[in-house]
Amino acid sequence: MRRYLMIGGILIVGYLVIQYFKPKPTNWAPTYLSEDKIPFGTYILRQRINDILPNTTIKTVQSAVYNNLKEKPNGQSNYFIIASNLKVDKLDYLEMVKYMQSGNNIFIAAFQIQGVLLDKLKLQITSDFNFQNKRKYPINFVNPSLKRELDYYFDKGISGQYFSKVDSTRAIVLGKKQDEFANFIQYKFGKGSLFILPNPQLLTNYSLLREDGLDYAAKALSYLPKAETLIWDEHFTRPNTKDSSVLRVLFKYDELRWAYYIALFSLVAFIVFEIKRRQRIIPVVERLKNTSVEFVEVVGRVYYQQRNNRDIAEKKVNYLLEYIRTKYRLKTSDLDQEFKASLINISSVSADIIDELFEEITYLKAGQMVKDQQLIRLNKLIEQFYKQDQ
């Protein structure tokens, strides 16, 4: 028994050493968190924000917009939001207007904006990502003092969003894409202003590590006037609930989590073997019958008789989304354009397969009836996804 324990201990130590030195794949998830050094985190921006806004105190908040602005610090301040999805309700909007009318400013960099904000401002955000050739879109500023002679170019489609609908009577266009579409605008409210940038990834680590990206971000944020405080809102990027479990550190990292599982398994195996009597009659064990084929046939006949194509399609889609979450650590709650772009960038599956697959998933989620041919097509697309992702 001691020999087995020693061998098990050596295997566990070897596994941990291999996992520790194993190169980690790049995490392309757009977190926009100030402590994340991954491509789409905002670690560099948070560390260098005082170079753009000197003598400004940074205050981090995680509550709703309404609560943050109700408890705003004394003196002039700027409010900064960077997130994938931003939802502003009526109370938030009214408090934002009061905040700006008193001489403060709000800077929003968000991929999707929901709620009343777009309706109130008569805005519409559009994206023309080209997943086939991942085209680079030229962008630039309108102000002659900020406009660069050579346009800014960014890859991975991080500058592809723009405003397809703008209220020209109120909005001030600060930047354009392809010298035609507005992609950075300003609204004035009393003594303050609201700035909206629909491409938040222009302010992330991936962009700021380039000279062009650093220059663009500095000029965009330079529109914020000097203020005593910059309120950095993390409400839309950081979960409100905090894990208080004593094992949260172990489950946060893959290596420690698997080490915990292996230790538990080893302890259980040791107890099971030790509680057995040293001498016992060996019972006669009959050969196990292989009932797998019969079980599969029964399940197949049940599904065939019920003809519940929708149930089968939903199960296959759920397994696919679980596979994507496990392998690429992407959130699958919102299957939007940003999710598709991230999946295309990090997987080896062609853009055509992903586009066709998500068209079928969207049709399925719309609640339409699933015919036999549609189920067969969905199954073929999922199998092609798995095959190309090997």
Side-chain angles (χ1 to χ4, degrees):
M1 180 58 66
R2 291 182 179 179
R3 182 176 62 181
Y4 294 143
L5 291 177
M6 291 179 61
I7 294 175
I10 293 174
L11 292 176
I12 292 174
V13 173
Y15 173 80
L16 293 177
V17 171
I18 293 174
Q19 290 296 322
Y20 181 80
F21 290 102
K22 180 180 69 174
K24 295 183 178 180
T26 303
N27 184 3
W28 290 97
T31 64
Y32 305 111
L33 293 176
S34 58
E35 70 273 14
D36 281 353
K37 299 181 181 180
I38 59 178
F40 293 145
T42 56
Y43 177 81
I44 298 177
L45 178 64
R46 183 59 180 270
Q47 297 299 316
R48 310 302 301 181
I49 190 69
N50 284 117
D51 294 346
I52 304 172
L53 303 172
N55 303 321
T56 297
T57 302
I58 311 299
K59 179 184 177 182
T60 303
V61 294
Q62 297 179 8
S63 302
V65 175
Y66 175 85
N67 297 332
N68 295 330
L69 296 182
K70 274 291 185 181
E71 302 172 359
K72 63 181 182 296
N74 297 326
Q76 298 298 110
S77 62
N78 295 317
Y79 197 87
F80 178 70
I81 303 175
I82 179 170
S84 292
N85 300 305
L86 172 68
K87 186 174 183 179
V88 177
D89 59 27
K90 186 175 180 180
L91 290 178
D92 292 334
Y93 177 76
L94 293 177
E95 198 62 34
M96 290 168 64
V97 172
K98 293 179 183 178
Y99 175 76
M100 291 182 288
Q101 287 178 342
S102 61
N104 304 295
N105 299 272
I106 299 177
F107 193 106
I108 296 176
F111 196 83
Q112 290 184 345
I113 300 178
Q114 301 175 345
V116 303
L117 186 59
L118 293 184
D119 295 334
K120 293 290 185 180
L121 301 179
K122 297 181 180 179
L123 280 176
Q124 183 175 344
I125 299 178
T126 304
S127 173
D128 56 359
F129 290 120
N130 190 324
F131 294 108
Q132 301 299 325
N133 54 24
K134 300 179 181 179
R135 177 183 173 188
K136 297 181 179 180
Y137 300 97
I139 61 175
N140 214 327
F141 294 95
V142 174
N143 190 330
S145 61
L146 298 179
K147 185 175 183 179
R148 204 171 66 166
E149 183 177 355
L150 296 177
D151 292 332
Y152 297 91
Y153 287 87
F154 298 93
D155 56 6
K156 294 189 178 297
I158 65 176
S159 61
Q161 293 224 134
Y162 63 93
F163 298 102
S164 58
K165 179 182 177 182
V166 177
D167 184 0
S168 58
T169 61
R170 298 178 56 195
I172 302 173
V173 178
L174 304 179
K176 289 186 176 182
K177 187 187 81 167
Q178 297 174 308
D179 201 25
E180 181 180 359
F181 306 106
N183 73 332
F184 184 30
I185 58 175
Q186 174 187 6
Y187 283 85
K188 290 188 176 182
F189 291 87
K191 299 179 181 179
S193 295
L194 170 65
F195 302 92
I196 303 180
L197 180 68
N199 298 293
Q201 293 174 350
L202 292 174
L203 305 180
T204 59
N205 302 327
Y206 183 82
S207 176
L208 296 184
L209 285 175
R210 299 176 46 188
E211 184 177 353
D212 285 356
L214 186 62
D215 183 67
Y216 184 88
K219 289 179 179 179
L221 292 173
S222 67
Y223 276 99
L224 289 175
K226 294 182 180 179
E228 299 177 16
T229 307
L230 175 68
I231 305 174
W232 189 300
D233 190 335
E234 294 185 343
H235 176 69
F236 301 99
T237 56
R238 193 181 302 276
N240 292 329
T241 57
K242 295 183 178 179
D243 187 5
S244 58
S245 172
V246 295
L247 300 176
R248 62 185 181 276
V249 176
L250 293 178
F251 288 102
K252 183 178 180 181
Y253 302 99
D254 293 338
E255 295 81 2
L256 293 179
R257 183 171 65 252
W258 279 105
Y260 174 74
Y261 292 152
I262 294 174
L264 271 182
F265 176 78
S266 302
L267 179 61
V268 172
F270 174 76
I271 294 174
V272 169
F273 281 104
E274 283 297 316
I275 62 176
K276 290 183 177 180
R277 293 182 298 177
R278 296 293 181 178
Q279 295 179 354
R280 57 182 299 183
I281 299 175
I282 301 176
V284 178
V285 180
E286 296 181 0
R287 294 183 60 183
L288 296 176
K289 297 181 179 179
N290 186 1
T291 60
S292 301
V293 177
E294 290 81 359
F295 175 78
V296 172
E297 290 178 351
V298 172
V299 173
R301 284 196 297 270
V302 170
Y303 274 99
Y304 180 79
Q305 292 173 0
Q306 292 183 349
R307 307 293 291 179
N308 193 345
N309 292 345
R310 167 165 292 279
D311 185 50
I312 300 175
E314 289 177 348
K315 284 184 170 60
K316 295 190 72 67
V317 170
N318 290 336
Y319 293 151
L320 173 64
L321 296 180
E322 175 64 23
Y323 172 84
I324 294 174
R325 286 194 298 270
T326 303
K327 183 171 184 179
Y328 298 113
R329 304 189 181 281
L330 293 177
K331 296 180 179 179
T332 59
S333 56
D334 293 325
L335 305 181
D336 49 18
Q337 292 291 339
E338 184 179 8
F339 174 81
K340 289 172 61 178
S342 301
L343 183 60
I344 290 173
N345 286 330
I346 63 180
S347 69
S348 58
V349 184
S350 65
D352 291 336
I353 295 300
I354 293 179
D355 284 339
E356 293 179 12
L357 180 57
F358 277 82
E359 286 179 3
E360 294 296 328
I361 295 176
T362 302
Y363 177 86
L364 176 65
K365 290 184 177 294
Q368 302 296 331
M369 182 179 67
V370 180
K371 298 181 180 179
D372 292 346
Q373 293 301 323
Q374 293 171 324
L375 179 61
I376 294 173
R377 173 175 169 77
L378 175 64
N379 181 71
K380 288 182 178 179
L381 290 173
I382 293 177
E383 292 299 326
Q384 291 178 9
F385 181 96
Y386 288 138
K387 184 177 181 180
Q388 293 186 12
D389 198 42
Q390 296 300 322

